[in-house]
Amino acid sequence: MDYNFSEIEKKWQKVWREQQTYKVVEDASKTKFYVLNMFPYPSGAGLHVGHPLGYIASDIYARYKRQQGFNVLNPMGYDAYGLPAEQYAIQTGQHPALTTETNIAHYREQLDKIGFSFDWSREVRTCDPAYYHWTQWAFEKMFSSYFDNDQQKALPIDLLVKHFETDGTAGLHVAQSEELSFTAAEWKTYDEAQQQRTLMNYRIAYLGETMVNWCPELGTVLANDEVVNGVSERGGYPVIQKKMQQWCLRTSAYAQRLLEGLDKVNWTDAIKETQRNWIGRSEGTEIAFKVAGEAREITIFTTRVDTIFGVTFMVLAPESELVGTLTKPEKQAEVATYLDYVKKRTELDRMSDRKVTGVFTGSYAVNPFTGEEIPIWISEYVLAGYGTGAVMAVPAHDSRDYAFAKHFNLPIVPLIEGADVENESFDAKEGIVMNSPRDGKAVFEDFTLNGKTVKEAIAYTKEYVTRHGLGRVKVNYRLRDAIFSRQRYWGEPFPVYYKNGLPYMIPEACLPLELPEIDKYQPTESGEPPLGRAKKWAWDEANQCVVENERIDQQTVFPLELNTMPGFAGSSAYYLRYMDPHNTQALVGEKADHYWQNVDLYVGGTEHATGHLIYSRFWNKFLFDYGVSCKEEPFEKLVNQGMIQGRSNFVYRVNDMAKDKAPVFVSKGLKDQYDTTPIHVWVGLVKNDILDVDAFKAWRPEYEQAEFVLEEGQYHCGWAVEKMSKSMHNVVNPDDIIAEYGADTLRLYEMFLGPVEASKPWDTNGIDGCFRFLKKLWALFYGRNSDALLADDSQPTKENLKTLHKLIKKVSEDMERFSYNTSVSAFMIAVNELGQQQCHSRQVLQDVVVVLAPFAPHIAEELWHALGHSTTVCDASWPKANESYLVESEIQLTISFNGKARFQKVFPADADNATIEAEAKADERSQKYLEGKTIVKVIIVPKKIVNIVMK
Ligand code: ANZ
């Protein structure tokens, strides 16, 4: 009987569906294990073979854990809001909900064919109101919270109001947009509007005026990670900087916890380092410099307070509020031109460009340690959003300050031994301070840094500055608050309405606030976001419902928010929702949350290192503060699968052919004899790099008459590894592979391609090996022409057991390392050996099936049942490798004469040295080396060498 994969796979997929084999319920008698894939955005193009790589790897692990007795949660869903569906809607008028629905159906069909162990009863879609109910709910909770720096956690905003009522801002240590100062008495005089505006300074979800990446073409704001090289990641449109009022999330408040949490998770060092850099903790000092001749001060942030004697100028960010008042009248025109220039520059340009630009304000500041007056400049290299937006410039020890000083001819004063300023070597972190104070310019007589190491000097200065009230120690983070508004249609609506221009939340009981219908998916003529087109988008406060816009009276009916939430809103807590997807009362019920706790294994691409993986950690920590999630870190272990690249094929068309003549294509080996142009050819027309010439002619009308110059009757194609994309005709659809070889072969082959984490090209040429392996396995059970099972009750031989236990040991070890490519090789070796041994022992074959089940579940289920079982192989216990079967019965030693290796000889594994020596000497092959010589001694290196020393 042949291996009929197509019948087998359909049969078992149906059985699994009918018997709900992959449905999982909380079961206190079993230990939980939660496996999660980063859920896909269902694009119109469907899945290519690169997409399931991570899903297959995690499915193998999920199945393995289940066989080990764990209660495994392995859910799947869709990140269903997003720009492509909206762009498509703009082009075609098709409602994005419909496009999304169609795409999801297509994805599901493709996923189903691969035989995943997903519990589809827990599916979530971010665009489903029952799901985004909880996204809106979390947003409202963030709106009504502030972050207490001492307790390092979110607290209800009412507590802050109480603090204001009793103490004003005195003794306040909280996360805030700017430092405000008022008394309890003052707070009480504030009217409702002013109180609300004040609270906005502290809320975790707040409306803030921020510089945003504005993409005019897309009509929306983009997150930093959606902008690449100054253009939008999707579409490649220009992005400019613009000040806008936006919803923001105070992610920066959680910077320290986000940093510390990294030490507790099992992620790769590379990803952790990326996150650490993104969070960018920096310990430094804030010091005030007086403006010359004024009482005003400029506070700067520095990590190198030890260099204060080398400060020769100051630099302000162009956006600094001080710029206006510090600019002298005669400098105003020049400064205005400069500010205009900076507006067009994105933050990324400003940080990465080596170009030196700047302008002098005409004002001076006083160095508090030298008493010197130093000029105050403005330059784009100082960023408004970091530190205090002002720096003390030390051109001798900072490369950007140095470039600036050189360009504008400002003094450079070296302080530290070993820093080679002329050669632009500023790295003097280890050196000894030599020139501080310099030239007797010391305001504080007891203060000297000379002779100290940089480290000592920093500590000494910090302490001095603090003690004398000149400044304070400050920790800064590069992590910015997340901008949370998008001017798009296809996203979660904000549950917000505006009363007298101030935002109010829709009552929790009225959620979800559903996305309204609109006629076109573009911004309005007056530049409002698409929701500005909705006719029924107003909130009736009295009746607590959405009503027609015409009823807006600013008394009881108010306009609703027109922005929607960004892509990361829906993906920030989906892992919690899978734990309890049908709960209508809570995001996740306490019971489910406490059972599943958090994700044990998370599999996804590295492209989410700074976006999703920061936002979701933040979101989870916020919910943790309120006891909604029970673990501080959402994802215990993270595995990043590599990218699968495409393997493109080329044909070579001969150039300079007359237009009306049929095109001529030359086989690869002959192409150098002609003047040719390589052309991508669809990989489906090529097998083992040989072109199916007839299929090629039928592919495109212009090739119908094509002629070919062949090599030995065949057309050989060229190939290259490139990104998998439509335009390169190298996209391989898993459906096609499954139709030809079956899902089990696809699964094995995806793993066989290489380590899960590595990026590698897809090469269909190698797939036959995996397919042949499954056929060989099948042949151990069924003879070619018979339906009768060959497996019998014969006792396994020692050899059978050795092969089996070698396999179990290898695959069990590989599982924990996600080294599935080596497992597939181990399967191939084992099945070859069992074939040679003509093994039909049920006892052995059964265990082979059990360990193969995670990789090739369909064939495993079929054979498992053929062996007489009536329950699923998914619940067959994972076997233990028995080391005693692995002991080698023989060893092979190298026999050497006077240190020269001559031949190999096999001995019983338990042979003692006397036996080895005697047999080595007696061996026929030894005689010619021993002839006429006397043996002095015989040295035996156990398990390796026998050296016979002669003279
Ligand atoms: C004087 C100095 C001397 C500095 C020296 C460095 C070396 P990190 O580690 O990233 O926190 N800086 C401060 N605020 C800035 C801003 N808004 N835009 C651009 N640069 C800013 O770096 C802190 C250092 O970056 C600070 O220490 C300051 O330059 C600069 F030998 O002050 B330093």
Side-chain angles (χ1 to χ4, degrees):
M1 188 168 74
D2 280 341
Y3 165 44
N4 187 339
F5 57 83
S6 152
E7 217 168 81
I8 292 170
E9 293 180 357
K10 278 202 197 87
K11 170 173 140 193
W12 290 110
Q13 284 167 12
K14 184 160 174 273
V15 172
W16 293 333
R17 197 165 42 243
E18 284 169 1
Q19 303 194 346
Q20 302 193 329
T21 306
Y22 303 119
K23 191 174 160 68
V24 60
V25 289
E26 294 68 39
D27 176 353
S29 71
K30 286 195 201 161
T31 311
K32 69 97 189 188
F33 197 89
Y34 185 175
V35 175
L36 183 65
N37 293 288
M38 289 185 185
F39 63 170
Y41 173 78
S43 82
L47 294 173
H48 65 56
V49 288
H51 296 119
L53 181 80
Y55 306 158
I56 295 172
S58 59
D59 192 56
I60 289 172
Y61 199 75
R63 288 172 177 274
Y64 160 71
K65 284 304 233 189
R66 176 167 174 179
Q67 288 183 257
Q68 280 195 319
F70 288 87
N71 194 27
V72 178
L73 173 56
N74 184 21
M76 191 40 120
Y78 303 98
D79 189 9
Y81 271 136
L83 201 51
E86 178 150 342
Q87 292 289 88
Y88 190 72
I90 291 171
Q91 286 157 19
T92 64
Q94 162 112 248
H95 198 296
L98 289 179
T99 324
T100 305
E101 182 77 38
T102 312
N103 293 350
I104 287 179
H106 184 209
Y107 261 61
R108 176 66 191 272
E109 208 179 290
Q110 289 190 292
L111 290 170
D112 278 349
K113 283 189 198 158
I114 305 176
F116 291 116
S117 62
F118 296 137
D119 177 358
W120 283 108
S121 73
R122 292 174 185 259
E123 181 198 296
V124 300
R125 299 177 183 191
T126 53
C127 65
D128 177 359
Y131 177 85
Y132 67 67
H133 180 158
W134 302 104
T135 311
Q136 294 177 334
W137 170 83
F139 170 80
E140 293 202 344
K141 210 145 178 72
M142 290 180 195
F143 179 79
S144 52
S145 300
Y146 73 107
F147 190 85
D148 182 297
N149 282 339
D150 292 328
Q151 294 184 51
Q152 278 288 304
K153 69 182 281 200
L155 293 172
I157 198 96
D158 299 347
L159 293 179
L160 187 67
V161 172
K162 280 210 181 86
H163 187 105
F164 291 161
E165 283 168 352
T166 53
D167 299 315
T169 52
L172 203 60
H173 195 203
V174 299
Q176 55 197 358
S177 301
E178 52 180 313
E179 199 158 334
L180 302 180
S181 170
F182 52 83
T183 63
E186 282 169 325
W187 168 260
K188 284 179 195 148
T189 64
Y190 291 174
D191 62 6
E192 158 80 3
Q194 194 166 359
Q195 288 193 345
Q196 286 304 324
R197 269 195 296 274
T198 306
L199 288 176
M200 205 56 100
N201 191 52
Y202 305 95
R203 296 182 188 276
I204 290 182
Y206 65 95
L207 261 183
E209 279 262 314
T210 43
M211 291 301 273
V212 295
N213 302 308
W214 174 252
C215 180
E217 220 84 21
L218 295 174
T220 186
V221 166
L222 297 173
N224 280 340
D225 53 290
E226 292 170 321
V227 183
V228 178
N229 298 329
V231 298
S232 62
E233 190 190 18
R234 284 189 191 273
Y237 303 116
V239 174
I240 58 162
Q241 300 302 297
K242 189 172 158 184
K243 205 164 205 173
M244 272 178 78
Q245 204 183 48
Q246 301 281 306
W247 283 106
C248 302
L249 303 184
R250 211 176 291 283
T251 38
S252 62
Y254 283 84
Q256 187 59 28
R257 275 170 65 186
L258 286 168
L259 192 64
E260 283 166 8
L262 291 173
D263 297 332
K264 297 180 204 132
V265 292
N266 182 5
W267 296 10
T268 63
D269 289 339
I271 290 262
K272 286 203 223 182
E273 212 35 43
T274 308
Q275 290 225 335
R276 283 192 192 107
N277 289 335
W278 193 258
I279 296 165
R281 185 182 203 274
S282 171
E283 253 183 66
T285 314
E286 277 185 5
I287 297 190
F289 282 55
K290 277 208 165 60
V291 178
E294 294 186 31
R296 267 198 301 174
E297 290 179 337
I298 304 174
T299 303
I300 60 94
F301 172 73
T302 176
T303 45
R304 291 296 303 277
V305 67
D306 60 304
T307 61
I308 192 134
F309 286 97
V311 177
T312 54
F313 56 101
M314 274 184 106
V315 190
L316 302 179
E319 298 82 358
S320 167
E321 283 162 13
L322 296 163
V323 165
T325 48
L326 286 176
T327 302
K328 292 279 183 233
E330 68 274 17
K331 292 284 174 191
Q332 237 139 34
E334 206 183 330
V335 168
T337 312
Y338 185 67
L339 297 185
D340 258 359
Y341 153 80
V342 175
K343 264 201 199 104
K344 295 187 202 96
R345 309 262 295 160
T346 67
E347 194 162 286
L348 202 79
D349 297 337
R350 286 170 56 170
M351 285 191 300
S352 54
D353 250 3
R354 298 313 277 172
K355 201 160 73 175
V356 179
T357 68
V359 55
F360 177 41
T361 59
S363 290
Y364 291 82
V366 182
N367 183 330
F369 279 74
T370 62
E372 276 176 308
E373 290 200 356
I374 48 173
I376 304 172
W377 287 69
I378 301 167
S379 173
E380 60 174 326
Y381 81 87
V382 177
L383 303 176
Y386 187 67
T388 62
V391 308
M392 60 177 214
V394 185
H397 301 296
D398 179 275
S399 60
R400 291 162 309 175
D401 297 346
Y402 178 81
F404 197 85
K406 275 280 182 204
H407 190 87
F408 290 109
N409 208 12
L410 294 159
I412 299 168
V413 179
L415 305 171
I416 297 157
E417 185 192 60
D420 184 357
V421 177
E422 283 317 306
N423 285 314
E424 301 197 22
S425 153
F426 306 96
D427 195 14
K429 291 192 186 112
E430 306 296 324
I432 305 287
V433 182
M434 299 288 286
N435 195 15
S436 309
R438 62 183 161 88
D439 317 328
K441 287 183 180 140
V443 172
F444 309 105
E445 273 168 16
D446 60 333
F447 186 87
T448 173
L449 298 176
N450 286 335
K452 293 189 169 58
T453 63
V454 167
K455 238 192 184 151
E456 288 164 354
I458 293 177
Y460 179 80
T461 318
K462 264 187 184 170
E463 193 277 328
Y464 194 92
V465 162
T466 317
R467 185 151 46 87
H468 289 77
L470 301 164
R472 59 174 180 164
V473 173
K474 181 80 201 287
V475 176
N476 271 326
Y477 299 90
R478 289 210 174 263
L479 184 72
R480 304 288 173 81
D481 288 349
I483 297 173
F484 202 59
S485 299
R486 295 292 182 274
Q487 293 66 43
R488 287 179 191 157
Y489 174 67
W490 195 228
E492 297 85 350
F494 281 93
V496 173
Y497 61 98
Y498 288 88
K499 215 161 143 177
N500 303 322
L502 287 171
Y504 287 83
M505 297 292 128
I506 299 235
E508 219 178 285
C510 302
L511 296 179
L513 176 69
E514 293 197 25
L515 189 64
E517 294 304 321
I518 54 174
D519 56 350
K520 271 206 284 184
Y521 305 98
Q522 272 160 327
T524 66
E525 278 65 40
S526 56
E528 283 175 331
L531 288 192
R533 296 179 175 277
K535 303 253 177 323
K536 191 178 172 189
W537 197 235
W539 186 250
D540 180 339
E541 225 180 30
N543 297 303
Q544 302 209 331
C545 60
V546 177
V547 296
E548 279 70 25
N549 295 4
E550 58 221 27
R551 292 189 38 205
I552 294 173
D553 58 6
Q554 302 289 356
Q555 302 300 314
T556 56
V557 181
F558 303 95
L560 281 156
E561 167 74 59
L562 301 183
N563 288 304
T564 55
M565 297 186 193
F568 68 82
S571 56
S572 285
Y574 74 114
Y575 51 91
L576 287 171
R577 191 62 183 161
Y578 281 138
M579 297 176 183
D580 200 6
H582 310 297
N583 193 332
T584 54
Q585 303 305 308
L587 162 62
V588 51
E590 203 170 297
K591 208 171 123 218
D593 172 36
H594 283 268
Y595 182 74
W596 296 112
Q597 308 238 332
N598 61 357
V599 175
D600 295 285
L601 171 68
Y602 197 23
V603 178
T606 47
E607 67 274 21
H608 300 290
T610 52
H612 163 63
L613 287 173
I614 289 268
Y615 300 133
S616 53
R617 290 182 62 223
F618 153 76
W619 203 285
N620 190 68
K621 283 174 194 298
F622 171 77
L623 294 176
F624 176 77
D625 289 347
Y626 279 106
V628 176
S629 63
C630 73
K631 283 280 183 125
E632 166 107 44
E633 283 296 330
F635 315 119
E636 287 296 328
K637 183 176 171 68
L638 177 70
V639 170
N640 300 112
Q641 88 272 10
M643 285 267 283
I644 290 204
Q645 295 138 317
R647 189 177 186 279
S648 314
N649 277 115
F650 302 100
V651 290
Y652 301 92
R653 192 175 57 200
V654 178
N655 291 335
D656 296 331
M657 299 300 293
K659 269 226 169 81
D660 51 347
K661 262 190 87 184
V664 178
F665 295 92
V666 200
S667 185
K668 185 182 165 214
L670 305 172
K671 77 174 167 52
D672 292 344
Q673 300 170 22
Y674 297 78
D675 173 24
T676 61
T677 306
I679 293 173
H680 280 98
V681 54
W682 179 42
V683 289
L685 306 177
V686 182
K687 197 158 189 186
N688 294 324
D689 293 335
I690 305 292
L691 181 71
D692 180 336
V693 170
D694 293 328
F696 178 73
K697 285 181 169 179
W699 184 40
R700 292 268 160 99
E702 65 265 35
Y703 300 150
E704 213 179 316
Q705 305 297 323
E707 290 167 20
F708 301 89
V709 183
L710 305 176
E711 290 174 82
E712 291 165 7
Q714 291 187 316
Y715 190 98
H716 294 259
C717 295
W719 63 273
V721 172
E722 297 171 303
K723 186 177 160 5
M724 205 172 263
S725 90
K726 256 188 179 165
S727 63
M728 311 216 185
H729 297 297
N730 61 5
V731 173
V732 180
N733 186 331
D735 298 1
D736 296 337
I737 302 285
I738 291 172
E740 196 170 347
Y741 299 99
D744 284 337
T745 296
L746 171 79
R747 292 171 62 109
L748 282 172
Y749 189 57
E750 292 241 357
M751 295 301 105
F752 190 53
L753 280 173
V756 174
E757 293 94 338
S759 287
K760 57 232 158 191
W762 177 268
D763 181 357
T764 307
N765 294 337
I767 201 165
D768 283 327
C770 287
F771 187 50
R772 271 199 306 274
F773 154 69
L774 289 180
K775 286 203 284 196
K776 279 189 197 163
L777 171 76
W778 187 260
L780 291 176
F781 288 77
Y782 292 103
R784 265 220 150 257
N785 302 312
S786 126
D787 284 356
L789 197 64
L790 299 175
D792 54 31
D793 290 323
S794 59
Q795 275 303 307
T797 65
K798 253 178 130 176
E799 288 304 292
N800 295 161
L801 289 170
K802 189 172 154 193
T803 299
L804 172 66
H805 286 269
K806 213 167 58 181
L807 175 71
I808 296 173
K809 181 165 191 260
K810 176 81 183 121
V811 177
S812 305
E813 285 167 2
D814 285 350
M815 275 294 173
E816 298 302 339
R817 291 183 280 129
F818 297 87
S819 178
Y820 300 150
N821 54 326
T822 55
S823 291
V824 178
S825 321
F827 280 120
M828 291 175 173
I829 292 167
V831 165
N832 278 342
E833 287 179 4
L834 293 174
Q836 281 156 13
Q837 296 159 15
Q838 302 205 331
C839 171
H840 297 297
S841 162
R842 182 189 303 268
Q843 190 191 325
V844 172
L845 295 183
Q846 176 161 305
D847 276 355
V848 172
V849 165
V850 172
V851 288
L852 181 68
F855 296 82
H858 308 87
I859 192 174
E861 191 79 289
E862 174 72 19
L863 295 173
W864 176 251
H865 280 75
L867 290 171
H869 296 278
S870 56
T871 54
T872 173
V873 71
C874 301
D875 289 324
S877 326
W878 191 259
K880 267 207 167 63
N882 185 338
E883 295 279 345
S884 68
Y885 296 126
L886 302 180
V887 178
E888 298 287 338
S889 55
E890 291 177 333
I891 48 167
Q892 186 170 287
L893 301 182
T894 304
I895 313 297
S896 320
F897 297 88
N898 283 348
K900 274 215 173 87
R902 293 300 183 182
F903 60 87
Q904 307 282 323
K905 185 172 170 63
V906 173
F907 296 89
D910 55 359
D912 59 14
N913 281 357
T915 316
I916 291 174
E917 183 176 333
E919 284 191 13
K921 282 189 212 158
D923 194 291
E924 220 172 80
R925 291 168 292 181
S926 299
Q927 303 321 311
K928 64 176 176 193
Y929 304 110
L930 295 173
E931 219 177 271
K933 302 261 165 73
T934 319
I935 296 175
V936 183
K937 61 177 170 182
V938 176
I939 302 161
I940 299 175
V941 182
K943 293 186 187 155
K944 287 205 177 98
I945 297 172
V946 180
N947 188 19
I948 301 177
V949 185
M950 314 164 297
K951 62 171 190 196

